[in-house]
């Protein structure tokens, strides 16, 4: 396996599933080392606990054995942590280099849609305002009333009155 590990480069990791394959290999290798260290730790601690030194009290042997094996226990603990870190290699790569660009593209698309919707609403409001303004402008210029009292914007053969005059006659 050490031959395989020397062959890994960043180019290999950047290929599809490269980080996943590397993480799986390292995790398995580290898990085997951690299991070995744990087995050896228990064996070592038991062997140390059997050694008697003159003047020991009943709990001194176990206590001394535990303190002497503490660095090996620390090694096993760090190997287990390394297994966890090896699992994170692929998940972090996926999160930051695969999922993040997709999320950003989705956000940009949503932003564009929101901007387009806002623009169309604003455009509709502007059109409505223009229609209202032109209607008011026509009213301000005068409304033409025919003989029956109907108002229209056609000035041919009709008398011109202001909006107030129209309201007075219509009411």
């Amino acid at each position: 396996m050490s031959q395989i590990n020397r062959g890994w480069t960043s180019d290999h990791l950047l290929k599809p599933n490269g980080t996943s394959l590397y993480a799986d290999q390292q995790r398995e290798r580290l898990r085997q080392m951690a299991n070995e260290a744990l087995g050896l730790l228990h064996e070592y601690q038991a062997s140390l606990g059997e050694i008697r030194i003159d003047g020991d009290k009943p709990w001194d042997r176990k206590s001394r054995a535990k303190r002497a094996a503490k660095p090996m226990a620390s090694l096993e603990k760090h190997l287990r942590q390394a297994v966890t870190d090896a699992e994170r290699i692929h998940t972090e790569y996926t999160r930051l280099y695969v999922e993040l660009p997709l999320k950003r593209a989705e956000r940009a698309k949503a932003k564009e849609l929101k901007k387009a919707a806002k623009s169309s609403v604003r455009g509709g409001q502007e059109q409505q305002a223009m229609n209202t303004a032109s209607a008011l402008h026509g009213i301000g210029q005068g409304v033409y009333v025919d003989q029956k009292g109907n108002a229209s914007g056609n000035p041919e053969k009709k008398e011109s009155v202001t909006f107030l005059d129209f309201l007075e006659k219509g009411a």
Side-chain angles (χ1 to χ4, degrees):
M1 237 192 212
S2 61
Q3 188 70 305
I4 293 173
N5 291 337
R6 278 189 262 151
W8 281 99
T9 64
S10 63
D11 292 333
H12 293 119
L13 295 176
L14 294 177
K15 290 181 182 176
N17 294 326
T19 55
S20 176
L21 183 60
Y22 179 75
D24 289 343
Q25 284 182 355
Q26 295 306 315
R27 192 172 55 235
E28 186 59 35
R29 188 172 65 88
L30 291 166
R31 188 176 290 127
Q32 288 174 357
M33 290 173 61
N35 291 340
E36 248 179 58
L38 182 62
L40 189 57
L41 171 66
H42 290 305
E43 200 176 303
Y44 181 56
Q45 200 169 356
S47 296
L48 288 173
E50 293 176 3
I51 299 173
R52 289 181 178 221
I53 299 177
D54 288 337
D56 277 349
K57 295 182 175 133
W59 63 86
D60 283 346
R61 287 185 295 161
K62 287 185 181 181
S63 176
R64 189 173 43 246
K66 190 170 185 166
R67 283 193 322 235
K70 195 170 187 172
M72 190 172 286
S74 178
L75 172 67
E76 189 269 337
K77 178 183 170 186
H78 290 300
L79 285 169
R80 296 285 177 202
Q81 182 60 44
V83 170
T84 304
D85 290 342
E87 291 174 8
R88 289 183 46 219
I89 291 171
H90 180 64
T91 57
E92 288 297 310
Y93 171 80
T94 303
R95 184 175 68 85
L96 295 172
Y97 288 96
V98 176
E99 294 172 359
L100 182 65
L102 296 175
K103 286 180 182 178
R104 284 186 179 170
E106 286 177 18
R107 281 190 212 129
K109 185 177 179 182
K111 186 176 180 181
E112 285 297 320
L113 288 173
K114 187 176 180 181
K115 187 176 181 181
K118 190 175 184 180
S119 174
S120 68
V121 168
R122 185 178 295 139
Q125 289 172 344
E126 288 173 1
Q127 184 63 35
Q128 184 180 8
M130 291 299 290
N131 289 342
T132 304
S134 65
L136 290 174
H137 179 69
I139 291 172
Q141 295 296 319
V143 176
Y144 299 97
V145 182
D146 62 7
Q147 293 170 349
K148 294 180 183 177
N150 295 327
S152 78
N154 188 359
E156 293 178 17
K157 299 180 184 175
K158 297 177 184 171
E159 67 179 85
S160 176
V161 293
T162 65
F163 182 63
L164 289 175
D165 292 339
F166 171 73
L167 288 176
E168 288 174 3
K169 285 183 183 179

